[in-house]
Every structure is written in structure tokens, then in C-alpha cells.
Amino acid sequence: MAAASSPPTPRSPRPQAPSAERTKGPSGLEKVVLREARGFSAEVHLYGGQVTSWKNDRGDELLFVSSKATFKPPKAIRGGIPICFPQFGTHGILEKHGFARNRFWAIDDNPPPFPTNAAVKAFVDLILKPSEEDLKIWPHSFEFRLRVALGPGGDLVLTSRIRNNNTDGRPFSFTFAYHTYFSVSDISEVRIEGLETLDYIDCLRGKERFTEQGDAIVFESEVDKIYLDAPAKIAIIDHEKKRTFVLRQDGLPDAVLWNPWDKKTKNTQDFGDEEFKHMLCVEPAAIEKPITLKPGEEWKGKMELSAVPSSYCSGQLDPNKVLQG
Ligand code: TA6
């Protein structure tokens, strides 16, 4: 018997959510939840100034956060978008990837003027200044302002502004990365477009310099590379999900590609054994040529992420469509 068809129920308008709400996350850590009217959302922890969630309008999580992430200071949160500052990597007495990712940031209630897009209603401004302890390991007065914005189409935009506030005339230099963990269906189904012919530093081969030979960049084993002079746009194509992440950057000439694969994952406490299959880090960065700021100078580095359906051309992904525009 055919089911009686009832008239379609009109969709009630989505309740207008506050665009930025302060609340508490795992372990009681404070976070800000950004919501866009069409249903996109993002979460930013004050600890680390770290984005820990970015969801599309169907509620699918687009960033990877490990099920073993501890959310317990002083450890950095494993996943999302940790910020590496004032250094990427390990040099001197500074901790690996700097201290910005394991400090408590504050809400910046009065940021200096910011070129804004009136359509963007969901954003938060954070600020990090050095503590007395920080000044002992990195003796520079700085102001790091971070805006995290969620656009009406669900794009996620991070803008960092770093200023030298030294009063004794000293410049400072730093390296930087948005250590972005993307969530992918299966790492063996992922391809990167945009880095194919670039020079890179291979961190797994004594930091030697090589050149990609133009072949498609796919993943079959551990990868830890720093690509130099990367383009303004990189595509991360998830064949299985038929989803492409488009990453645009401004002011960040390098791009790190990282997947720890099985052995390194097993040796990392806050990483599930099989989780390497479902993540990939693509990290716009300034590493090879550190940024130097004189007192009063400010640097800006921007990353914009969007997630779009992959384009198909006779059954094949069409990278030209992805990288146009
Ligand atoms: O961005 C890649 C990398 O520098 C790798 O060498 C790897 O160690 C990764 O960062 C994660 O570092 P973490 O200190 O967060 O464990």
C-alpha cells in the first residue's frame, strides 16, 4: 500500500543564533563559538588562540582534532589550527613551535581598525602579549592580534597582526605557521594541487633541499616537507569525499605538508594509532626567511579556507577548475 503523501512542511526559518558566544569546552577551557546564519560554525579556544572546530552547513567537521587530544595546559591541543610563533620548529631555548599555542590569549575588545567585510558577522578578535616569564625566553615586547572570522558562505579566515613594541630600539625576528589539521576521509584518497614543481626542504632527509618533479602529490608514507615560495592558493582534493579544501594565503610564502604516518603516530601520546589516515596538515608559513620587525612595525599574515564540492571532468578531478579564480 502506498503511503499517503502529506504536503511538504514549510521549513521554519533557522533561529537566529548569536554570531559569537563565549562558553566552555573540554576540561573547562574557555572558547568562543562562531555561528553563521546558514548553519556554518567554528570554535576558537582562548588557550592557544586555537581554532578547534570548523563545520559546514550540514554539521560535518572539516578540521581534524585527535580523539586523544588532552585539552590540558601546558600541552598544546592536538588538532585544529595551532599557531606556531615566535618560531616554527626547534631552535635555541624556545619550545618547539614557539609558545603562542600554549598560552592563554585574551579577547581583544578594542582592536585597532581592521579592513572589514560588512557581510561577515561572525568573528572574534584575540590578543596575546608576553608575560614576565615569556620575556625571559624571548625578550621582546610584542602584540599579537588574531582575528578569526566565519564568512556567510562558510569560509574561515584567520588574520594575524604582529607588532614590535620594543621601547629600546631593538628589532625582532620570528618564524610563523598556521599548523592547520584538515580532516580527510582517507589519506590515500587525497591529492594536493599547487606545490608540484616547487623546491622543498625535506625534514625527514636531513633538511636537504629538493625539487618536486611535477608529479601529482599523493600520500603513501610519512611526509614532513617545507615548500618554498608556495603559491597564493593550494587545493587539497579529497577524492572519496568529493570535497576540495581551497587554501588561500597572503604574507606566508612557505607551506608545510605533514602526515606522521603509522610509526610516528604510535609514538605520539595524544594521537590515536589509526588517526593518521584521517588527517593532513597543510600549513601556510613564513619559515625560510624569518620576518623582521623594527619597533613600531607590524606584520600581517592571512589564511582563508573554503570547502567546495570537487569538480569532475569525465570521471577525473579537474584541478584547473579547482585552482581557477
Ligand atoms: O609541521 C610539521 C611538524 O613540524 C612535524 O615535524 C611534526 O613534529 C609536527 O610539526 C607536530 O609537532 P608537535 O610539536 O605538535 O607534535
Side-chain angles (χ1 to χ4, degrees):
M1 199 173 79
S5 66
S6 50
T9 343
R11 282 182 72 177
S12 54
R14 209 181 279 275
Q16 194 65 45
S19 50
E21 184 197 356
R22 207 164 161 168
T23 172
K24 293 218 163 139
S27 306
L29 291 181
E30 274 198 275
K31 65 180 181 181
V32 174
V33 182
L34 303 177
R35 290 198 183 87
E36 236 303 319
R38 281 169 57 192
F40 305 102
S41 67
E43 294 184 2
V44 189
H45 270 79
L46 298 198
Y47 179 61
Q50 188 160 332
V51 176
T52 48
S53 171
W54 172 40
K55 288 184 179 164
N56 65 16
D57 50 356
R58 290 191 303 274
D60 303 327
E61 182 56 69
L62 304 172
L63 297 176
F64 166 85
V65 176
S66 172
S67 61
K68 299 274 171 69
T70 60
F71 291 87
K72 284 205 180 89
K75 192 157 182 43
I77 300 166
R78 174 71 63 197
I81 313 181
I83 288 185
C84 304
F85 171 84
Q87 76 173 4
F88 177 87
T90 321
H91 307 277
I93 58 165
L94 271 181
E95 55 218 85
K96 184 177 173 198
H97 291 340
F99 49 72
R101 65 177 180 163
N102 53 15
R103 295 293 184 272
F104 284 93
W105 294 54
I107 302 272
D108 188 5
D109 289 321
N110 195 15
F114 200 90
T116 42
N117 173 350
V120 177
K121 305 275 186 260
F123 64 88
V124 62
D125 286 297
L126 300 182
I127 185 163
L128 181 69
K129 293 182 191 177
S131 66
E132 290 300 315
E133 289 307 303
D134 297 336
L135 288 168
K136 288 182 192 154
I137 51 171
W138 203 65
H140 297 292
S141 174
F142 68 87
E143 259 174 11
F144 186 149
R145 293 194 145 84
L146 171 68
R147 171 167 290 194
V148 181
L150 188 63
D155 46 316
L156 183 70
V157 184
L158 275 70
T159 311
S160 290
R161 295 185 291 172
I162 297 171
R163 169 176 286 275
N164 181 337
N165 279 347
N166 279 339
T167 49
D168 55 7
R170 281 178 309 136
F172 63 62
S173 298
F174 62 90
T175 53
F176 178 96
Y178 289 116
H179 199 305
T180 313
Y181 288 76
F182 290 95
S183 166
V184 297
S185 56
D186 181 337
I187 188 68
S188 61
E189 296 286 333
V190 173
R191 194 175 84 224
I192 303 292
E193 300 280 352
L195 305 174
E196 295 86 340
T197 54
L198 300 187
D199 284 358
Y200 64 89
I201 294 166
D202 196 334
C203 301
L204 301 177
R205 289 196 276 172
K207 301 220 162 142
E208 259 189 81
R209 200 168 166 138
F210 300 90
T211 304
E212 284 291 358
Q213 295 307 309
D215 300 334
I217 296 178
V218 292
F219 301 89
E220 289 161 348
S221 59
E222 184 181 357
V223 177
D224 194 349
K225 296 177 175 176
I226 304 169
Y227 288 86
L228 309 172
D229 290 322
K233 198 193 260 188
I234 298 171
I236 300 138
I237 300 162
D238 186 334
H239 192 76
E240 194 177 305
K241 277 249 157 76
K242 299 185 177 58
R243 173 192 290 149
T244 296
F245 292 108
V246 181
L247 183 163
R248 293 178 175 83
Q249 61 77 19
D250 189 14
L252 297 158
D254 305 320
V256 182
L257 212 52
W258 181 57
N259 184 293
W261 223 254
D262 53 351
K263 270 202 212 119
K264 197 161 276 174
T265 310
K266 285 202 177 89
N267 292 330
T268 307
Q269 265 188 358
D270 58 349
F271 231 123
D273 285 359
E274 299 293 311
E275 285 182 336
F276 72 94
K277 293 178 182 162
H278 307 298
M279 55 72 64
L280 176 66
C281 286
V282 185
E283 314 166 28
I287 300 169
E288 205 210 12
K289 297 183 189 111
I291 312 287
T292 299
L293 293 177
K294 293 190 194 123
E297 283 184 340
E298 186 176 270
W299 169 86
K300 193 162 109 175
K302 184 172 170 186
M303 173 174 78
E304 196 176 326
L305 304 178
S306 51
V308 297
S310 297
S311 317
Y312 274 82
C313 177
S314 15
Q316 296 289 310
L317 285 166
D318 179 357
N320 293 326
K321 285 191 184 153
V322 168
L323 287 178
Q324 271 165 15

